[in-house]
Amino acid sequence: EDQVTQSPEALRLQEGESSSLNCSYTVSGLRGLFWYRQDPGKGPEFLFTLYSAGEEKEKERLKATLTKKESFLHITAPKPEDSATYLCAVQARKDTGRRALTFGSGTRLQVQP
Amino acid sequence: DTGVSQDPRHKITKRGQNVTFRCDPISEHNRLYWYRQTLGQGPEFLTYFQNEAQLEKSRLLSDRFSAERPKGSFSTLEIQRTEQGDSAMYLCASSRARDGDEQYFGPGTRLTVT
């Protein structure tokens, strides 16, 4: 059974204080690892897809990296508007026929001015 | 591209009643997914359609739940004989294989069963 564990559950940062969120996963053959941002009362917003170990993707102050067992979301010099829950999800290989995403419980990030 | 839309956004119902939710995917997205999310948890997969065919169902999808996508466009999710444990956010997502198959989510329908 695919599993995703995210840590920490909650993180409070001062504006400008860089940090990293962790996503550990087990999956029967990884097709892709996905990062989403979710604001309260809204649906998840797609951020990145990573397909293979060593891959990195960046968007503004966010950078996602992937190894064979975990992914990190690095937040550089965060601003209050980066406050949200960040969700990690995995999808199994195409040949399994499964398209479902398995999500972690998320990291609630609060950035204080 | 107007995004995934869901209707209604909020639904309050009494235990034992039936409810139906609608999802309109991003145009030209042939894949559509339903997830359920409770407070403090990540979304949990319920079911997936490719065009009008329902190809994957979670063990979470009890007999009281049924989903359809009659013409491969919009989809409906019906819950019969609602229970208090059904209270959750119901999320719909859509994707298109040739675009990398990233799933884009709608705003969700918040269901409260009293």
Side-chain angles (χ1 to χ4, degrees), chain A residues 1 31 36 38 41 43-44 46 49 51 87 91 98-101 103-105, chain B residues 31 33 35 37 40-43 45 48 56 100-107:
Chain A
E1 184 177 332
R31 174 189 173 265
Y36 288 85
Q38 187 172 29
F46 171 75
T49 310
Y51 294 103
L87 295 164
Q91 187 180 53
R98 292 186 287 132
R99 299 271 69 82
L101 295 180
F103 281 86
S105 297
Chain B
R31 292 176 173 166
Y33 312 78
Y35 291 81
Q37 186 177 26
Q41 300 298 313
F45 172 77
Y48 148 63
E56 192 176 353
D101 211 19
E102 285 90 9
Q103 296 181 24
Y104 293 89
F105 283 81

PDB file of all heavy atoms in Angstrom, chain A residues 1 31 36 38 41 43-44 46 49 51 87 91 98-101 103-105, chain B residues 31 33 35 37 40-43 45 48 56 100-107:
ATOM      1  N   GLU A   1       0.848  -1.197   0.000  1.00  0.00           N
ATOM      2  CA  GLU A   1       0.000   0.000   0.000  1.00  0.00           C
ATOM      3  C   GLU A   1       0.888   1.253   0.000  1.00  0.00           C
ATOM      4  O   GLU A   1       1.853   1.342   0.735  1.00  0.00           O
ATOM      5  CB  GLU A   1      -0.899  -0.011   1.226  1.00  0.00           C
ATOM      6  CG  GLU A   1      -1.882   1.147   1.263  1.00  0.00           C
ATOM      7  CD  GLU A   1      -2.817   1.060   2.464  1.00  0.00           C
ATOM      8  OE1 GLU A   1      -3.090  -0.071   2.934  1.00  0.00           O
ATOM      9  OE2 GLU A   1      -3.267   2.108   2.924  1.00  0.00           O
ATOM     10  N   ARG A  31       5.512   6.825 -10.384  1.00  0.00           N
ATOM     11  CA  ARG A  31       5.402   7.540 -11.643  1.00  0.00           C
ATOM     12  C   ARG A  31       5.743   9.014 -11.426  1.00  0.00           C
ATOM     13  O   ARG A  31       6.477   9.601 -12.208  1.00  0.00           O
ATOM     14  CB  ARG A  31       3.998   7.441 -12.234  1.00  0.00           C
ATOM     15  CG  ARG A  31       3.875   8.331 -13.479  1.00  0.00           C
ATOM     16  CD  ARG A  31       2.481   8.459 -14.012  1.00  0.00           C
ATOM     17  NE  ARG A  31       2.465   9.452 -15.090  1.00  0.00           N
ATOM     18  CZ  ARG A  31       2.151  10.730 -14.929  1.00  0.00           C
ATOM     19  NH1 ARG A  31       1.820  11.182 -13.724  1.00  0.00           N
ATOM     20  NH2 ARG A  31       2.174  11.567 -15.940  1.00  0.00           N
ATOM     21  N   TYR A  36       1.393  20.247  -3.734  1.00  0.00           N
ATOM     22  CA  TYR A  36       0.256  21.151  -3.835  1.00  0.00           C
ATOM     23  C   TYR A  36       0.289  22.128  -2.663  1.00  0.00           C
ATOM     24  O   TYR A  36       0.771  21.802  -1.581  1.00  0.00           O
ATOM     25  CB  TYR A  36      -1.069  20.388  -3.778  1.00  0.00           C
ATOM     26  CG  TYR A  36      -1.420  19.581  -5.004  1.00  0.00           C
ATOM     27  CD1 TYR A  36      -0.942  18.291  -5.173  1.00  0.00           C
ATOM     28  CD2 TYR A  36      -2.257  20.109  -5.985  1.00  0.00           C
ATOM     29  CE1 TYR A  36      -1.269  17.549  -6.298  1.00  0.00           C
ATOM     30  CE2 TYR A  36      -2.602  19.373  -7.120  1.00  0.00           C
ATOM     31  CZ  TYR A  36      -2.105  18.087  -7.261  1.00  0.00           C
ATOM     32  OH  TYR A  36      -2.437  17.346  -8.375  1.00  0.00           O
ATOM     33  N   GLN A  38      -2.496  24.374  -0.364  1.00  0.00           N
ATOM     34  CA  GLN A  38      -3.920  24.486  -0.081  1.00  0.00           C
ATOM     35  C   GLN A  38      -4.174  25.585   0.935  1.00  0.00           C
ATOM     36  O   GLN A  38      -3.648  25.549   2.045  1.00  0.00           O
ATOM     37  CB  GLN A  38      -4.492  23.161   0.426  1.00  0.00           C
ATOM     38  CG  GLN A  38      -6.010  23.179   0.573  1.00  0.00           C
ATOM     39  CD  GLN A  38      -6.595  21.828   0.898  1.00  0.00           C
ATOM     40  OE1 GLN A  38      -5.961  20.989   1.523  1.00  0.00           O
ATOM     41  NE2 GLN A  38      -7.822  21.578   0.448  1.00  0.00           N
ATOM     42  N   GLY A  41     -10.259  26.289   3.262  1.00  0.00           N
ATOM     43  CA  GLY A  41     -11.549  26.305   2.592  1.00  0.00           C
ATOM     44  C   GLY A  41     -11.487  26.219   1.084  1.00  0.00           C
ATOM     45  O   GLY A  41     -12.516  26.349   0.408  1.00  0.00           O
ATOM     46  N   GLY A  43      -9.649  24.295  -2.640  1.00  0.00           N
ATOM     47  CA  GLY A  43      -9.064  23.075  -3.172  1.00  0.00           C
ATOM     48  C   GLY A  43      -7.560  23.210  -3.313  1.00  0.00           C
ATOM     49  O   GLY A  43      -7.024  24.322  -3.385  1.00  0.00           O
ATOM     50  N   PRO A  44      -6.841  22.091  -3.351  1.00  0.00           N
ATOM     51  CA  PRO A  44      -5.387  22.140  -3.537  1.00  0.00           C
ATOM     52  C   PRO A  44      -5.016  22.774  -4.868  1.00  0.00           C
ATOM     53  O   PRO A  44      -5.668  22.546  -5.884  1.00  0.00           O
ATOM     54  CB  PRO A  44      -4.978  20.666  -3.496  1.00  0.00           C
ATOM     55  CG  PRO A  44      -6.070  19.966  -2.747  1.00  0.00           C
ATOM     56  CD  PRO A  44      -7.313  20.705  -3.122  1.00  0.00           C
ATOM     57  N   PHE A  46      -2.036  23.089  -7.675  1.00  0.00           N
ATOM     58  CA  PHE A  46      -0.862  22.360  -8.162  1.00  0.00           C
ATOM     59  C   PHE A  46       0.374  23.253  -8.167  1.00  0.00           C
ATOM     60  O   PHE A  46       0.330  24.402  -8.622  1.00  0.00           O
ATOM     61  CB  PHE A  46      -1.133  21.827  -9.571  1.00  0.00           C
ATOM     62  CG  PHE A  46       0.075  21.243 -10.240  1.00  0.00           C
ATOM     63  CD1 PHE A  46       0.549  19.998  -9.860  1.00  0.00           C
ATOM     64  CD2 PHE A  46       0.739  21.933 -11.229  1.00  0.00           C
ATOM     65  CE1 PHE A  46       1.667  19.456 -10.473  1.00  0.00           C
ATOM     66  CE2 PHE A  46       1.859  21.410 -11.844  1.00  0.00           C
ATOM     67  CZ  PHE A  46       2.313  20.170 -11.463  1.00  0.00           C
ATOM     68  N   THR A  49       5.518  18.739 -10.263  1.00  0.00           N
ATOM     69  CA  THR A  49       5.635  17.297 -10.405  1.00  0.00           C
ATOM     70  C   THR A  49       7.108  16.944 -10.545  1.00  0.00           C
ATOM     71  O   THR A  49       7.835  17.587 -11.314  1.00  0.00           O
ATOM     72  CB  THR A  49       4.916  16.766 -11.658  1.00  0.00           C
ATOM     73  OG1 THR A  49       3.588  17.276 -11.715  1.00  0.00           O
ATOM     74  CG2 THR A  49       4.864  15.245 -11.634  1.00  0.00           C
ATOM     75  N   TYR A  51       9.640  13.519 -11.274  1.00  0.00           N
ATOM     76  CA  TYR A  51       9.496  12.175 -11.824  1.00  0.00           C
ATOM     77  C   TYR A  51      10.631  11.229 -11.456  1.00  0.00           C
ATOM     78  O   TYR A  51      10.427  10.010 -11.402  1.00  0.00           O
ATOM     79  CB  TYR A  51       9.390  12.236 -13.351  1.00  0.00           C
ATOM     80  CG  TYR A  51       8.136  12.912 -13.841  1.00  0.00           C
ATOM     81  CD1 TYR A  51       8.159  14.212 -14.325  1.00  0.00           C
ATOM     82  CD2 TYR A  51       6.921  12.240 -13.812  1.00  0.00           C
ATOM     83  CE1 TYR A  51       7.001  14.832 -14.782  1.00  0.00           C
ATOM     84  CE2 TYR A  51       5.750  12.857 -14.263  1.00  0.00           C
ATOM     85  CZ  TYR A  51       5.808  14.141 -14.745  1.00  0.00           C
ATOM     86  OH  TYR A  51       4.650  14.737 -15.188  1.00  0.00           O
ATOM     87  N   LEU A  87       0.860  20.141   0.630  1.00  0.00           N
ATOM     88  CA  LEU A  87       0.540  18.722   0.524  1.00  0.00           C
ATOM     89  C   LEU A  87       1.469  18.039  -0.470  1.00  0.00           C
ATOM     90  O   LEU A  87       1.767  18.591  -1.535  1.00  0.00           O
ATOM     91  CB  LEU A  87      -0.902  18.529   0.044  1.00  0.00           C
ATOM     92  CG  LEU A  87      -2.020  19.022   0.977  1.00  0.00           C
ATOM     93  CD1 LEU A  87      -3.333  19.130   0.213  1.00  0.00           C
ATOM     94  CD2 LEU A  87      -2.170  18.100   2.165  1.00  0.00           C
ATOM     95  N   GLN A  91       1.991   9.126  -7.104  1.00  0.00           N
ATOM     96  CA  GLN A  91       1.188   8.377  -8.063  1.00  0.00           C
ATOM     97  C   GLN A  91       2.017   7.197  -8.543  1.00  0.00           C
ATOM     98  O   GLN A  91       3.204   7.355  -8.874  1.00  0.00           O
ATOM     99  CB  GLN A  91       0.786   9.259  -9.237  1.00  0.00           C
ATOM    100  CG  GLN A  91      -0.199   8.612 -10.205  1.00  0.00           C
ATOM    101  CD  GLN A  91      -0.560   9.538 -11.352  1.00  0.00           C
ATOM    102  OE1 GLN A  91       0.322  10.065 -12.036  1.00  0.00           O
ATOM    103  NE2 GLN A  91      -1.849   9.759 -11.565  1.00  0.00           N
ATOM    104  N   ARG A  98      -3.220   2.393 -12.122  1.00  0.00           N
ATOM    105  CA  ARG A  98      -3.764   3.257 -11.064  1.00  0.00           C
ATOM    106  C   ARG A  98      -3.401   4.716 -11.338  1.00  0.00           C
ATOM    107  O   ARG A  98      -2.253   5.023 -11.620  1.00  0.00           O
ATOM    108  CB  ARG A  98      -3.252   2.826  -9.698  1.00  0.00           C
ATOM    109  CG  ARG A  98      -3.786   1.479  -9.271  1.00  0.00           C
ATOM    110  CD  ARG A  98      -3.379   1.148  -7.839  1.00  0.00           C
ATOM    111  NE  ARG A  98      -1.972   0.813  -7.751  1.00  0.00           N
ATOM    112  CZ  ARG A  98      -1.138   1.335  -6.846  1.00  0.00           C
ATOM    113  NH1 ARG A  98      -1.559   2.216  -5.977  1.00  0.00           N
ATOM    114  NH2 ARG A  98       0.128   0.962  -6.817  1.00  0.00           N
ATOM    115  N   ARG A  99      -4.379   5.593 -11.243  1.00  0.00           N
ATOM    116  CA  ARG A  99      -4.167   7.014 -11.458  1.00  0.00           C
ATOM    117  C   ARG A  99      -4.359   7.820 -10.163  1.00  0.00           C
ATOM    118  O   ARG A  99      -4.115   9.017 -10.138  1.00  0.00           O
ATOM    119  CB  ARG A  99      -5.154   7.545 -12.512  1.00  0.00           C
ATOM    120  CG  ARG A  99      -5.032   6.908 -13.864  1.00  0.00           C
ATOM    121  CD  ARG A  99      -4.031   7.644 -14.764  1.00  0.00           C
ATOM    122  NE  ARG A  99      -2.643   7.535 -14.348  1.00  0.00           N
ATOM    123  CZ  ARG A  99      -1.870   6.507 -14.630  1.00  0.00           C
ATOM    124  NH1 ARG A  99      -2.361   5.479 -15.309  1.00  0.00           N
ATOM    125  NH2 ARG A  99      -0.617   6.481 -14.228  1.00  0.00           N
ATOM    126  N   ALA A 100      -4.794   7.120  -9.108  1.00  0.00           N
ATOM    127  CA  ALA A 100      -5.090   7.823  -7.861  1.00  0.00           C
ATOM    128  C   ALA A 100      -3.831   8.446  -7.279  1.00  0.00           C
ATOM    129  O   ALA A 100      -2.732   7.884  -7.373  1.00  0.00           O
ATOM    130  CB  ALA A 100      -5.677   6.847  -6.843  1.00  0.00           C
ATOM    131  N   LEU A 101      -3.982   9.602  -6.671  1.00  0.00           N
ATOM    132  CA  LEU A 101      -2.914  10.202  -5.880  1.00  0.00           C
ATOM    133  C   LEU A 101      -3.096   9.770  -4.423  1.00  0.00           C
ATOM    134  O   LEU A 101      -4.215   9.780  -3.910  1.00  0.00           O
ATOM    135  CB  LEU A 101      -2.967  11.726  -5.955  1.00  0.00           C
ATOM    136  CG  LEU A 101      -2.713  12.365  -7.324  1.00  0.00           C
ATOM    137  CD1 LEU A 101      -2.805  13.881  -7.225  1.00  0.00           C
ATOM    138  CD2 LEU A 101      -1.362  11.953  -7.866  1.00  0.00           C
ATOM    139  N   PHE A 103      -2.077  11.013  -0.808  1.00  0.00           N
ATOM    140  CA  PHE A 103      -1.602  12.238  -0.168  1.00  0.00           C
ATOM    141  C   PHE A 103      -1.091  11.986   1.240  1.00  0.00           C
ATOM    142  O   PHE A 103      -1.548  11.078   1.937  1.00  0.00           O
ATOM    143  CB  PHE A 103      -2.743  13.254  -0.055  1.00  0.00           C
ATOM    144  CG  PHE A 103      -3.051  14.000  -1.322  1.00  0.00           C
ATOM    145  CD1 PHE A 103      -3.912  13.464  -2.258  1.00  0.00           C
ATOM    146  CD2 PHE A 103      -2.488  15.240  -1.567  1.00  0.00           C
ATOM    147  CE1 PHE A 103      -4.207  14.152  -3.432  1.00  0.00           C
ATOM    148  CE2 PHE A 103      -2.774  15.934  -2.731  1.00  0.00           C
ATOM    149  CZ  PHE A 103      -3.638  15.391  -3.662  1.00  0.00           C
ATOM    150  N   GLY A 104      -0.161  12.847   1.670  1.00  0.00           N
ATOM    151  CA  GLY A 104       0.179  12.962   3.073  1.00  0.00           C
ATOM    152  C   GLY A 104      -0.805  13.899   3.761  1.00  0.00           C
ATOM    153  O   GLY A 104      -1.710  14.457   3.118  1.00  0.00           O
ATOM    154  N   SER A 105      -0.621  14.080   5.077  1.00  0.00           N
ATOM    155  CA  SER A 105      -1.535  14.924   5.846  1.00  0.00           C
ATOM    156  C   SER A 105      -1.197  16.399   5.744  1.00  0.00           C
ATOM    157  O   SER A 105      -1.963  17.240   6.224  1.00  0.00           O
ATOM    158  CB  SER A 105      -1.533  14.500   7.314  1.00  0.00           C
ATOM    159  OG  SER A 105      -2.018  13.184   7.440  1.00  0.00           O
TER     160      SER A 105
ATOM    161  N   ARG B  31      -9.794  13.024 -18.045  1.00  0.00           N
ATOM    162  CA  ARG B  31      -9.770  12.267 -16.797  1.00  0.00           C
ATOM    163  C   ARG B  31     -10.377  13.101 -15.672  1.00  0.00           C
ATOM    164  O   ARG B  31     -10.113  14.309 -15.567  1.00  0.00           O
ATOM    165  CB  ARG B  31      -8.345  11.856 -16.445  1.00  0.00           C
ATOM    166  CG  ARG B  31      -7.810  10.830 -17.430  1.00  0.00           C
ATOM    167  CD  ARG B  31      -6.377  10.464 -17.171  1.00  0.00           C
ATOM    168  NE  ARG B  31      -5.979   9.353 -18.040  1.00  0.00           N
ATOM    169  CZ  ARG B  31      -4.726   8.969 -18.246  1.00  0.00           C
ATOM    170  NH1 ARG B  31      -3.739   9.588 -17.631  1.00  0.00           N
ATOM    171  NH2 ARG B  31      -4.471   7.957 -19.038  1.00  0.00           N
ATOM    172  N   TYR B  33     -11.540  12.930 -11.376  1.00  0.00           N
ATOM    173  CA  TYR B  33     -11.308  12.221 -10.117  1.00  0.00           C
ATOM    174  C   TYR B  33     -12.185  12.819  -9.028  1.00  0.00           C
ATOM    175  O   TYR B  33     -12.425  14.025  -9.012  1.00  0.00           O
ATOM    176  CB  TYR B  33      -9.843  12.375  -9.678  1.00  0.00           C
ATOM    177  CG  TYR B  33      -8.825  12.113 -10.753  1.00  0.00           C
ATOM    178  CD1 TYR B  33      -8.548  13.067 -11.716  1.00  0.00           C
ATOM    179  CD2 TYR B  33      -8.100  10.919 -10.790  1.00  0.00           C
ATOM    180  CE1 TYR B  33      -7.601  12.847 -12.703  1.00  0.00           C
ATOM    181  CE2 TYR B  33      -7.146  10.691 -11.767  1.00  0.00           C
ATOM    182  CZ  TYR B  33      -6.909  11.659 -12.719  1.00  0.00           C
ATOM    183  OH  TYR B  33      -5.959  11.424 -13.687  1.00  0.00           O
ATOM    184  N   TYR B  35     -12.238  12.989  -4.723  1.00  0.00           N
ATOM    185  CA  TYR B  35     -11.524  12.770  -3.470  1.00  0.00           C
ATOM    186  C   TYR B  35     -12.389  13.283  -2.318  1.00  0.00           C
ATOM    187  O   TYR B  35     -13.263  14.131  -2.505  1.00  0.00           O
ATOM    188  CB  TYR B  35     -10.189  13.538  -3.444  1.00  0.00           C
ATOM    189  CG  TYR B  35      -9.128  13.037  -4.395  1.00  0.00           C
ATOM    190  CD1 TYR B  35      -9.142  13.399  -5.744  1.00  0.00           C
ATOM    191  CD2 TYR B  35      -8.096  12.215  -3.943  1.00  0.00           C
ATOM    192  CE1 TYR B  35      -8.165  12.952  -6.609  1.00  0.00           C
ATOM    193  CE2 TYR B  35      -7.106  11.763  -4.811  1.00  0.00           C
ATOM    194  CZ  TYR B  35      -7.153  12.132  -6.138  1.00  0.00           C
ATOM    195  OH  TYR B  35      -6.172  11.682  -6.999  1.00  0.00           O
ATOM    196  N   GLN B  37     -11.908  14.893   1.718  1.00  0.00           N
ATOM    197  CA  GLN B  37     -10.926  15.427   2.655  1.00  0.00           C
ATOM    198  C   GLN B  37     -11.604  15.817   3.960  1.00  0.00           C
ATOM    199  O   GLN B  37     -12.574  16.572   3.961  1.00  0.00           O
ATOM    200  CB  GLN B  37     -10.212  16.646   2.055  1.00  0.00           C
ATOM    201  CG  GLN B  37      -9.070  17.171   2.921  1.00  0.00           C
ATOM    202  CD  GLN B  37      -8.331  18.323   2.263  1.00  0.00           C
ATOM    203  OE1 GLN B  37      -8.875  19.053   1.450  1.00  0.00           O
ATOM    204  NE2 GLN B  37      -7.055  18.492   2.609  1.00  0.00           N
ATOM    205  N   GLY B  40      -7.733  18.476   8.724  1.00  0.00           N
ATOM    206  CA  GLY B  40      -6.397  18.100   9.171  1.00  0.00           C
ATOM    207  C   GLY B  40      -5.780  16.940   8.419  1.00  0.00           C
ATOM    208  O   GLY B  40      -4.660  16.517   8.755  1.00  0.00           O
ATOM    209  N   GLN B  41      -6.488  16.437   7.417  1.00  0.00           N
ATOM    210  CA  GLN B  41      -5.969  15.314   6.629  1.00  0.00           C
ATOM    211  C   GLN B  41      -5.800  15.709   5.171  1.00  0.00           C
ATOM    212  O   GLN B  41      -6.392  16.684   4.705  1.00  0.00           O
ATOM    213  CB  GLN B  41      -6.936  14.126   6.714  1.00  0.00           C
ATOM    214  CG  GLN B  41      -7.167  13.606   8.122  1.00  0.00           C
ATOM    215  CD  GLN B  41      -5.889  13.098   8.751  1.00  0.00           C
ATOM    216  OE1 GLN B  41      -5.122  12.344   8.141  1.00  0.00           O
ATOM    217  NE2 GLN B  41      -5.623  13.520   9.980  1.00  0.00           N
ATOM    218  N   GLY B  42      -4.999  14.933   4.451  1.00  0.00           N
ATOM    219  CA  GLY B  42      -4.907  15.138   3.021  1.00  0.00           C
ATOM    220  C   GLY B  42      -6.092  14.503   2.312  1.00  0.00           C
ATOM    221  O   GLY B  42      -6.813  13.690   2.895  1.00  0.00           O
ATOM    222  N   PRO B  43      -6.323  14.867   1.065  1.00  0.00           N
ATOM    223  CA  PRO B  43      -7.425  14.253   0.307  1.00  0.00           C
ATOM    224  C   PRO B  43      -7.246  12.738   0.194  1.00  0.00           C
ATOM    225  O   PRO B  43      -6.116  12.253   0.066  1.00  0.00           O
ATOM    226  CB  PRO B  43      -7.329  14.924  -1.064  1.00  0.00           C
ATOM    227  CG  PRO B  43      -6.631  16.222  -0.809  1.00  0.00           C
ATOM    228  CD  PRO B  43      -5.652  15.926   0.289  1.00  0.00           C
ATOM    229  N   PHE B  45      -8.526   9.420  -2.086  1.00  0.00           N
ATOM    230  CA  PHE B  45      -9.089   9.079  -3.382  1.00  0.00           C
ATOM    231  C   PHE B  45     -10.376   8.272  -3.232  1.00  0.00           C
ATOM    232  O   PHE B  45     -10.457   7.360  -2.397  1.00  0.00           O
ATOM    233  CB  PHE B  45      -8.059   8.263  -4.168  1.00  0.00           C
ATOM    234  CG  PHE B  45      -8.566   7.675  -5.441  1.00  0.00           C
ATOM    235  CD1 PHE B  45      -8.730   8.459  -6.567  1.00  0.00           C
ATOM    236  CD2 PHE B  45      -8.887   6.326  -5.512  1.00  0.00           C
ATOM    237  CE1 PHE B  45      -9.197   7.915  -7.747  1.00  0.00           C
ATOM    238  CE2 PHE B  45      -9.350   5.768  -6.685  1.00  0.00           C
ATOM    239  CZ  PHE B  45      -9.509   6.567  -7.808  1.00  0.00           C
ATOM    240  N   TYR B  48     -12.213   7.359 -10.136  1.00  0.00           N
ATOM    241  CA  TYR B  48     -11.583   7.994 -11.295  1.00  0.00           C
ATOM    242  C   TYR B  48     -12.284   7.543 -12.574  1.00  0.00           C
ATOM    243  O   TYR B  48     -12.638   6.371 -12.717  1.00  0.00           O
ATOM    244  CB  TYR B  48     -10.102   7.602 -11.298  1.00  0.00           C
ATOM    245  CG  TYR B  48      -9.421   7.469 -12.634  1.00  0.00           C
ATOM    246  CD1 TYR B  48      -9.282   8.558 -13.482  1.00  0.00           C
ATOM    247  CD2 TYR B  48      -8.877   6.248 -13.035  1.00  0.00           C
ATOM    248  CE1 TYR B  48      -8.630   8.433 -14.701  1.00  0.00           C
ATOM    249  CE2 TYR B  48      -8.231   6.119 -14.251  1.00  0.00           C
ATOM    250  CZ  TYR B  48      -8.110   7.206 -15.079  1.00  0.00           C
ATOM    251  OH  TYR B  48      -7.462   7.087 -16.285  1.00  0.00           O
ATOM    252  N   GLU B  56     -11.384   3.170 -11.802  1.00  0.00           N
ATOM    253  CA  GLU B  56     -10.746   2.897 -10.517  1.00  0.00           C
ATOM    254  C   GLU B  56     -11.667   3.345  -9.396  1.00  0.00           C
ATOM    255  O   GLU B  56     -12.248   4.430  -9.469  1.00  0.00           O
ATOM    256  CB  GLU B  56      -9.412   3.646 -10.452  1.00  0.00           C
ATOM    257  CG  GLU B  56      -8.488   3.246  -9.316  1.00  0.00           C
ATOM    258  CD  GLU B  56      -7.139   3.983  -9.382  1.00  0.00           C
ATOM    259  OE1 GLU B  56      -6.878   4.695 -10.383  1.00  0.00           O
ATOM    260  OE2 GLU B  56      -6.356   3.850  -8.427  1.00  0.00           O
ATOM    261  N   GLY B 100       0.964  15.695 -19.166  1.00  0.00           N
ATOM    262  CA  GLY B 100       1.692  15.237 -17.990  1.00  0.00           C
ATOM    263  C   GLY B 100       0.788  14.700 -16.912  1.00  0.00           C
ATOM    264  O   GLY B 100       1.248  14.194 -15.895  1.00  0.00           O
ATOM    265  N   ASP B 101      -0.530  14.806 -17.139  1.00  0.00           N
ATOM    266  CA  ASP B 101      -1.503  14.177 -16.251  1.00  0.00           C
ATOM    267  C   ASP B 101      -1.564  14.800 -14.868  1.00  0.00           C
ATOM    268  O   ASP B 101      -2.006  14.160 -13.920  1.00  0.00           O
ATOM    269  CB  ASP B 101      -1.224  12.675 -16.126  1.00  0.00           C
ATOM    270  CG  ASP B 101      -2.485  11.858 -15.909  1.00  0.00           C
ATOM    271  OD1 ASP B 101      -3.577  12.372 -16.214  1.00  0.00           O
ATOM    272  OD2 ASP B 101      -2.388  10.726 -15.402  1.00  0.00           O
ATOM    273  N   GLU B 102      -1.113  16.052 -14.724  1.00  0.00           N
ATOM    274  CA  GLU B 102      -1.251  16.719 -13.430  1.00  0.00           C
ATOM    275  C   GLU B 102      -2.730  16.914 -13.135  1.00  0.00           C
ATOM    276  O   GLU B 102      -3.495  17.303 -14.013  1.00  0.00           O
ATOM    277  CB  GLU B 102      -0.561  18.090 -13.433  1.00  0.00           C
ATOM    278  CG  GLU B 102       0.940  18.035 -13.362  1.00  0.00           C
ATOM    279  CD  GLU B 102       1.585  17.984 -14.730  1.00  0.00           C
ATOM    280  OE1 GLU B 102       0.869  18.165 -15.727  1.00  0.00           O
ATOM    281  OE2 GLU B 102       2.810  17.776 -14.789  1.00  0.00           O
ATOM    282  N   GLN B 103      -3.110  16.660 -11.900  1.00  0.00           N
ATOM    283  CA  GLN B 103      -4.503  16.785 -11.487  1.00  0.00           C
ATOM    284  C   GLN B 103      -4.746  18.182 -10.926  1.00  0.00           C
ATOM    285  O   GLN B 103      -4.068  18.601  -9.989  1.00  0.00           O
ATOM    286  CB  GLN B 103      -4.845  15.713 -10.453  1.00  0.00           C
ATOM    287  CG  GLN B 103      -4.743  14.303 -11.042  1.00  0.00           C
ATOM    288  CD  GLN B 103      -5.101  13.219 -10.069  1.00  0.00           C
ATOM    289  OE1 GLN B 103      -5.835  13.440  -9.104  1.00  0.00           O
ATOM    290  NE2 GLN B 103      -4.582  12.019 -10.303  1.00  0.00           N
ATOM    291  N   TYR B 104      -5.733  18.872 -11.505  1.00  0.00           N
ATOM    292  CA  TYR B 104      -6.113  20.214 -11.078  1.00  0.00           C
ATOM    293  C   TYR B 104      -7.438  20.115 -10.336  1.00  0.00           C
ATOM    294  O   TYR B 104      -8.396  19.551 -10.855  1.00  0.00           O
ATOM    295  CB  TYR B 104      -6.222  21.151 -12.282  1.00  0.00           C
ATOM    296  CG  TYR B 104      -4.874  21.388 -12.936  1.00  0.00           C
ATOM    297  CD1 TYR B 104      -4.410  20.551 -13.932  1.00  0.00           C
ATOM    298  CD2 TYR B 104      -4.067  22.445 -12.515  1.00  0.00           C
ATOM    299  CE1 TYR B 104      -3.169  20.749 -14.504  1.00  0.00           C
ATOM    300  CE2 TYR B 104      -2.823  22.650 -13.087  1.00  0.00           C
ATOM    301  CZ  TYR B 104      -2.381  21.794 -14.078  1.00  0.00           C
ATOM    302  OH  TYR B 104      -1.144  21.995 -14.633  1.00  0.00           O
ATOM    303  N   PHE B 105      -7.451  20.687  -9.149  1.00  0.00           N
ATOM    304  CA  PHE B 105      -8.598  20.530  -8.259  1.00  0.00           C
ATOM    305  C   PHE B 105      -9.564  21.699  -8.351  1.00  0.00           C
ATOM    306  O   PHE B 105      -9.173  22.845  -8.606  1.00  0.00           O
ATOM    307  CB  PHE B 105      -8.129  20.402  -6.808  1.00  0.00           C
ATOM    308  CG  PHE B 105      -7.574  19.044  -6.486  1.00  0.00           C
ATOM    309  CD1 PHE B 105      -6.268  18.712  -6.818  1.00  0.00           C
ATOM    310  CD2 PHE B 105      -8.359  18.089  -5.852  1.00  0.00           C
ATOM    311  CE1 PHE B 105      -5.752  17.457  -6.532  1.00  0.00           C
ATOM    312  CE2 PHE B 105      -7.855  16.835  -5.550  1.00  0.00           C
ATOM    313  CZ  PHE B 105      -6.551  16.514  -5.894  1.00  0.00           C
ATOM    314  N   GLY B 106     -10.833  21.374  -8.087  1.00  0.00           N
ATOM    315  CA  GLY B 106     -11.851  22.394  -7.930  1.00  0.00           C
ATOM    316  C   GLY B 106     -11.887  22.903  -6.500  1.00  0.00           C
ATOM    317  O   GLY B 106     -11.105  22.466  -5.649  1.00  0.00           O
ATOM    318  N   PRO B 107     -12.835  23.819  -6.209  1.00  0.00           N
ATOM    319  CA  PRO B 107     -12.909  24.432  -4.885  1.00  0.00           C
ATOM    320  C   PRO B 107     -13.518  23.524  -3.818  1.00  0.00           C
ATOM    321  O   PRO B 107     -13.417  23.817  -2.630  1.00  0.00           O
ATOM    322  CB  PRO B 107     -13.804  25.651  -5.114  1.00  0.00           C
ATOM    323  CG  PRO B 107     -14.657  25.253  -6.270  1.00  0.00           C
ATOM    324  CD  PRO B 107     -13.806  24.385  -7.147  1.00  0.00           C
TER     325      PRO B 107
END
